[in-house]
Amino acid sequence: MATEQKEDAGADQTEICRTAIKQEASSTVFEAKWLRMKQVTYRHGNEQRSWDMVERTTKHCDVDGVDVFAIVRYVDKPAHAIFILNYRPPVDQYVLEFPAGLIDPHETLEEAALRELKEETGYIGQISKAAVSPILRVDPWKSNESGRIVMVDVDGDDERNVNPVQSLEADEDIQVVLLRLDTLKEDIDRLVQDGNGRFGVDMKIYCFALGMQLSTFLPTN
């Protein structure tokens, strides 16, 4: 009986997605160096509606940017994930994020990932076998921004990664944070608590940490 309920729910969702909704036009309201604000007109059935949105002005390929999920592995200690604390003026906080950035013209996704990792954290890695995510929507309620997550393996015992040196731009204020994978959610919660309001967390990272924690409750067979 439970299986039948799941199948019915799936069928209902498919029908919802077939509703005739389509974007018809868009116009630019304001444009700055990095962002463009637009008003979109779309049709929902017989009704015409409008929506305010923003988009990046720097898109060169099928996505705007790349997030780097880098795991540092050592011979004699637990694996760590590489994060950054990046000051974000809109929220006036240092936000825990994946190393990330825009993709330069004529640059592949993988090249951008390794470059951003090196610039923002100093670490040198190689693309993981898990490789690249599908196109992911960042905040689709207000933007058409999209990105991909690239998995990178980092050899923590490589002499180049023993004392990594960042290559930051003048307007960047980024601190590197390494957190153990096996205690990730607890360490993030502690970081935020100890920060007394100075630190925020990117939702992608907290969802990943929750997934790691929940996986410990799942059956192994």
Side-chain angles (χ1 to χ4, degrees):
M1 191 58 139
T3 302
E4 293 178 358
Q5 291 177 344
K6 286 183 180 180
E7 290 176 353
D8 291 343
D12 291 341
Q13 294 300 317
T14 301
E15 291 303 316
I16 290 173
C17 293
R18 289 176 180 171
T19 303
I21 305 178
K22 184 174 179 58
Q23 187 179 127
E24 294 186 329
S26 65
S27 58
T28 299
V29 177
F30 174 79
E31 183 168 333
K33 180 179 180 181
W34 301 106
L35 295 175
R36 180 185 298 118
M37 184 172 184
K38 301 175 75 173
Q39 187 171 72
V40 171
T41 302
Y42 67 101
R43 185 164 295 279
H44 187 172
N46 295 322
E47 184 179 354
Q48 190 179 68
R49 301 179 180 179
S50 63
W51 195 276
D52 297 329
M53 61 162 285
V54 295
E55 67 181 10
R56 289 189 180 274
T57 60
T58 52
K59 191 171 185 177
H60 303 293
C61 59
D62 62 348
V63 292
D64 294 281
V66 58
D67 282 42
V68 184
F69 182 29
I71 298 178
V72 190
R73 303 183 191 277
Y74 306 91
V75 171
D76 58 354
K77 57 183 178 180
H80 289 63
I82 303 176
F83 301 109
I84 59 173
L85 279 170
N86 194 359
Y87 178 74
R88 295 300 191 183
V91 294
D92 193 26
Q93 286 182 314
Y94 284 88
V95 179
L96 190 71
E97 305 173 354
F98 290 118
L102 302 177
I103 301 170
D104 291 340
H106 311 300
E107 186 178 41
T108 69
L109 192 74
E110 292 82 1
E111 288 170 346
L114 296 178
R115 173 182 56 77
E116 289 291 351
L117 179 66
K118 178 67 170 65
E119 290 176 357
E120 294 188 346
T121 72
Y123 282 93
I124 297 172
Q126 60 182 6
I127 303 299
S128 167
K129 291 181 180 179
V132 181
S133 77
I135 296 175
L136 304 174
R137 297 298 175 184
V138 178
D139 51 357
W141 75 272
K142 74 171 186 293
S143 170
N144 61 5
E145 183 177 357
S146 62
R148 293 181 188 263
I149 297 175
V150 176
M151 303 286 292
V152 174
D153 291 324
V154 176
D155 181 358
D157 297 310
D158 187 321
E159 62 180 15
R160 297 173 298 174
N161 293 321
V162 174
N163 294 297
V165 179
Q166 296 167 284
S167 301
L168 301 178
E169 297 180 14
D171 60 348
E172 290 182 314
D173 191 347
I174 295 174
Q175 299 178 38
V176 182
V177 178
L178 269 63
L179 298 178
R180 284 178 54 160
L181 287 175
D182 56 354
T183 56
L184 185 56
K185 181 180 177 297
E186 294 87 343
D187 291 345
I188 291 175
D189 289 340
R190 188 179 304 109
L191 177 74
V192 173
Q193 182 177 0
D194 293 346
N196 295 318
R198 291 179 299 150
F199 302 143
V201 182
D202 187 304
M203 188 177 291
K204 294 189 293 292
I205 290 177
Y206 205 79
C207 287
F208 175 77
L210 282 173
M212 292 283 291
Q213 185 183 63
L214 290 172
S215 69
T216 62
F217 299 104
L218 297 177
T220 57
N221 52 11

